[in-house]
Amino acid sequence: MSESQGQSEVREPFVSRAAGIRVREADLGARAMIGSGAATEVHRLDTFTVPGHLGGLAFVRVRDRAAAHWDSAVLSRLVALRWELDAGERAVLDGAAAWPLAVVEDDEGEVVGCLLPLAAHPFYYVPIDDAPADGRGQTKAPQQAKWLVVAPKRARRAGAAAVGERDVVTRATVLARVSLLLAMLHRHGVVFGDLSDRSVLFGVGEVAEAFVVGCEWAAFAGEGSLQRNSAGWAAPEPEVGVGGDGDDDSDEDSDVDGRSDKDERSDEDGRRDDKTDPAMSTAASVQSVATDLYKLGLLVLRVLAPAGDGLERSRDADRIRTVLDDTGRRMLHDALGDDPGARPTPGEWYRYLRGVIIENLSAPEIRSVVVSPALVAEGDEVRLDVELSGARQLTIQLPGRADITREVGGRVVSERFTARQSGRIGVRASNDHGDAAALSNTVRVLPVPTPGRISVESPDLDGMRGLLPDLGPLEAAVGIASEAAADGSPFTRVAALQARIDVDSQPLNDVLRIGLEAERVSRERMFPSFEEFLGGIASAKPRGD
């Protein structure tokens, strides 16, 4: 028995059969297996209930009670913790998490598992591949947050809810609910541990919902208990007290739905557990509040960032720069940094995300519209940067061109286009609650001078005389000998013509020099120096003279 187990058992008097939170397996009645993993099996109970819970129940039975992360004493304390909460906190816990409601003993009094609440209807979907043609006997699957990480079209093809990448309200609401739950757990000294996109279920409707599963594997901070990690979600801190390689139970089904994740181990992203990469480790380790904060930062990044290659494994905070403002970007950089003490708390994330939701439920605000550079030659490229909040759509009104409309999923919109006409660029941001308009700084487009004549170097005719045949006989044959005698040979006439062209034309370098000089004079007239400006004022005659 480990030291932590011994400490846990000292506190077991908090658990009482009289409170209905310690039951015998033999009393559970009829059940049906709904899923299994490498170390657990899950049964749906047909009739059994526990005090204070009105919904369905699942019995999670642990087959491998020798697993490093299994601690029956800690599980008993987690069950007791729910009853120690006041009514308000208990309501938050029951609404946001599948928290263990009771421990289950066998006939010898040994804890063999626990009872968990089943998730409600909004947190399931019917996979298209499993849906029968007649619509009966449908197999439901938990709607995990991984469907918020992948591109919406992939979720749609699977049958899950497809939340648009730019639907910041729904995504931020799911994250805010998870943050609120973690904030409460941390106040009571609980480390969730295995937080990932598979431990968070979500539902969509008028208001998005979140439901966290896998709570039976939570632990108490500072006691050295081992907890699992999901591949790609491990924090960068060195693992302490690692037990086993984690392969046996990395995907075991302890979720309230009871559906095994074995068929999802390959997943759409095709990732595999790489034992050489600590970040991909699934080994059980001692975790802390700081590791919870890191994993919450990863969840924020992967749910809010635009979908793209490798997002499900990304730890690059810059992928979210167009979605969050300066405060949010700074929080995410701190959350994913190497300093555990600098990571934002769940309460801080909750307050920030709540502000994001409120912004997107009111008329949008345009904070700046900047075009650079402001002085360009016709045909050059300029860049438009619009910083805004709460917008779902942005219309860009260009001088002399058709409007451009873009869907907005963040706070910064950047566009590049060719400058054709001087003027200011107008932008209009809109959402379901109103719109806002603004103008950019003035862009001056200078026309490029077009030369009227450019000389082209002629071939050296004198040097070619020896290469061309004598045209005299040919000219005599076609009756132009007299003309040739009067004006000379064709070579003579071409040379004379070339001389006239050379007199009338300008070299290309002179043409370019003239154009640059014209542009300089135009600029000086448009923007005179301060001395010239003062001289002009001094020399101006008063009116009436």
Side-chain angles (χ1 to χ4, degrees):
M1 177 185 299
S2 67
E3 181 180 354
S4 62
Q5 288 176 316
Q7 293 173 347
S8 301
E9 290 178 350
V10 171
R11 299 182 60 176
E12 275 207 68
F14 287 110
V15 183
S16 168
R17 275 195 189 87
I21 56 178
R22 184 180 286 271
V23 299
R24 295 191 181 279
E25 185 178 2
D27 297 334
L28 297 180
R31 69 190 80 167
M33 182 178 289
I34 54 177
S36 65
T40 62
E41 54 188 33
V42 184
H43 302 261
R44 177 182 286 109
L45 302 183
D46 293 340
T47 58
F48 192 84
T49 60
V50 296
H53 179 70
L54 301 179
L57 289 176
F59 168 39
V60 177
R61 196 179 199 284
V62 180
R63 290 199 303 261
D64 182 12
R65 290 189 286 277
H69 57 275
W70 165 250
D71 190 331
S72 61
V74 171
L75 177 61
S76 298
R77 292 168 58 196
L78 293 175
V79 172
L81 174 65
R82 177 176 175 272
W83 291 103
E84 296 172 4
L85 302 176
D86 60 38
E89 288 187 317
R90 191 181 307 129
V92 171
L93 184 65
D94 291 346
W99 198 259
L101 301 173
V103 294
V104 180
E105 301 173 340
D106 60 14
D107 293 338
E108 285 74 34
E110 182 180 359
V111 176
V112 296
C114 64
L115 300 183
L116 297 174
L118 286 169
H121 171 72
F123 302 109
Y124 293 96
Y125 73 99
V126 177
I128 290 179
D129 292 342
D130 296 341
D134 58 5
R136 294 179 294 180
Q138 295 177 334
T139 302
K140 296 187 299 181
Q143 192 159 259
Q144 299 168 331
K146 71 175 185 177
W147 297 118
L148 295 175
V149 178
V150 302
K153 62 182 180 181
R154 293 174 60 184
R156 190 179 300 109
R157 286 200 300 264
V163 178
E165 290 185 5
R166 298 175 175 86
D167 189 350
V168 179
V169 172
T170 296
R171 294 170 178 272
T173 300
V174 172
L175 294 170
R177 292 183 184 276
V178 175
S179 300
L180 187 63
L181 172 66
L182 287 182
M184 187 185 70
L185 295 182
H186 290 173
R187 282 199 305 271
H188 292 278
V190 175
V191 176
F192 184 84
D194 191 19
L195 183 66
S196 73
D197 57 358
R198 292 174 180 265
S199 60
V200 177
L201 310 184
F202 74 97
V204 295
E206 292 186 6
V207 178
E209 300 178 75
F211 197 69
V212 179
V213 298
C215 302
E216 66 273 23
W217 304 109
F220 290 89
E223 296 186 357
S225 299
L226 296 176
Q227 294 177 278
R228 298 183 303 174
N229 288 284
S230 291
W233 290 81
E237 285 87 322
E239 294 181 341
V240 181
V242 176
D245 60 7
D247 286 346
D248 292 341
D249 52 12
S250 62
D251 281 325
E252 69 175 292
D253 184 15
S254 60
D255 297 349
V256 293
D257 58 273
R259 179 179 169 87
S260 174
D261 282 343
K262 288 182 178 180
D263 57 338
E264 298 178 357
R265 289 184 181 180
S266 59
D267 205 3
E268 290 80 3
D269 55 28
R271 66 174 180 258
R272 295 292 186 271
D273 186 12
D274 184 0
K275 299 181 179 61
T276 64
D277 183 1
M280 298 298 292
S281 172
T282 60
S285 64
V286 175
Q287 300 182 51
S288 64
V289 169
T291 60
D292 273 3
L293 301 184
Y294 183 87
K295 294 180 181 183
L296 178 59
L298 280 183
L299 190 66
V300 171
L301 166 66
R302 296 173 183 178
V303 169
L304 288 183
D309 293 341
L311 178 59
E312 68 281 351
R313 298 180 297 276
S314 178
R315 296 167 188 253
D316 181 8
D318 289 335
R319 292 186 71 147
I320 208 171
R321 65 179 182 81
T322 62
V323 179
L324 303 182
D325 59 9
D326 290 340
T327 300
R329 291 193 291 268
R330 184 170 58 254
M331 289 176 64
L332 190 60
H333 275 281
D334 291 342
L336 302 183
D338 294 331
D339 181 6
R343 294 169 187 165
T345 65
E348 292 171 333
W349 274 120
Y350 175 76
R351 289 188 291 273
Y352 175 77
L353 293 167
R354 184 173 180 272
V356 172
I357 295 169
I358 292 174
E359 283 183 353
N360 284 271
L361 292 178
S362 56
E365 177 184 353
I366 300 176
R367 298 180 177 176
S368 68
V369 185
V370 178
V371 180
S372 59
L375 179 63
V376 294
E378 184 180 359
D380 284 353
E381 188 178 68
V382 295
R383 172 172 171 163
L384 171 70
D385 291 309
V386 183
E387 185 176 354
L388 70 175
S389 63
R392 296 294 298 273
Q393 190 176 74
L394 182 70
T395 300
I396 303 171
Q397 301 165 337
L398 301 172
R401 294 181 58 179
D403 293 350
I404 299 174
T405 301
R406 293 284 185 266
E407 296 296 321
V408 179
R411 299 194 175 244
V412 178
V413 177
S414 297
E415 285 287 336
R416 292 181 179 273
F417 49 86
T418 301
R420 297 180 181 174
Q421 182 177 328
S422 298
R424 305 176 74 181
I425 298 175
V427 295
R428 179 174 295 278
S430 60
N431 62 16
D432 295 337
H433 309 282
D435 54 20
L439 290 173
S440 73
N441 52 304
T442 301
V443 180
R444 296 191 180 277
V445 180
L446 301 178
V448 177
T450 303
R453 178 183 294 143
I454 300 177
S455 62
V456 179
E457 183 179 1
S458 298
D460 182 5
L461 298 179
D462 291 333
M464 297 178 61
R465 290 180 184 275
L467 302 177
L468 296 176
D470 185 4
L471 300 181
L474 180 60
E475 292 174 350
V478 297
I480 61 173
S482 59
E483 182 180 351
D487 299 333
S489 70
F491 296 105
T492 303
R493 295 196 298 276
V494 172
L497 179 61
Q498 178 63 48
R500 290 198 302 271
I501 293 176
D502 290 341
V503 171
D504 296 336
S505 64
Q506 293 287 343
L508 180 60
N509 288 338
D510 290 344
V511 172
L512 296 179
R513 180 180 56 77
I514 293 172
L516 293 175
E517 183 67 18
E519 181 181 354
R520 183 186 64 78
V521 172
S522 174
R523 187 181 303 111
E524 289 178 352
R525 291 182 179 177
M526 189 181 303
F527 307 106
S529 66
F530 188 65
E531 290 78 7
E532 292 173 341
F533 177 72
L534 292 179
I537 294 177
S539 61
K541 293 181 180 181
R543 293 185 178 180
D545 290 351

